[in-house]
Amino acid sequence: MAKSEGMALAPWNVLAGGKIRTDEEEEKRRQTGENGRTTFNPQWERTDREKLVCKALEKVAQEIGAKHITAGKFLSLNTTYHWI
């Protein structure tokens, strides 16, 4: 319906609110002070459970030859209307 009406879709809080990342990415954020999203939750670091999910995603990414575990690139390349 959105496409037929010329409307764009903007996913909100996609992929766990930015918490899907590798251990290396999280450490880089920690070292640079970039941290992560804190708008709705001041705890930007991942929980142990979130880390387990990310490890599973890393394994799948490795198996299929993907360079990243997030779908941001997929969303931007496979949608008709998007903003970058």
Side-chain angles (χ1 to χ4, degrees):
M1 180 181 94
K3 184 177 180 180
S4 69
E5 297 297 323
M7 298 167 49
L9 298 177
W12 182 258
N13 203 24
V14 174
L15 303 175
K19 291 200 175 186
I20 294 181
R21 57 179 166 257
T22 63
D23 291 341
E24 292 78 20
E25 290 170 326
E26 187 160 302
E27 182 59 31
K28 181 181 176 186
R29 289 177 181 210
R30 193 177 291 111
Q31 289 177 359
T32 63
E34 177 185 351
N35 298 339
R37 297 179 188 168
T38 57
T39 304
F40 299 107
N41 182 357
Q43 180 57 33
W44 65 270
E45 294 176 295
R46 298 168 299 154
T47 64
D48 289 339
R49 184 174 181 160
E50 291 165 337
K51 289 178 184 180
L52 286 173
V53 170
C54 292
K55 285 289 185 194
L57 290 172
E58 285 182 66
K59 182 179 178 191
V60 171
Q62 185 179 28
E63 289 173 1
I64 64 170
K67 295 180 182 179
H68 305 284
I69 64 172
T70 61
K73 216 27 134 176
F74 176 84
L75 289 173
S76 68
L77 295 175
N78 292 287
T79 56
T80 305
Y81 304 99
H82 61 274
W83 296 276
I84 298 178

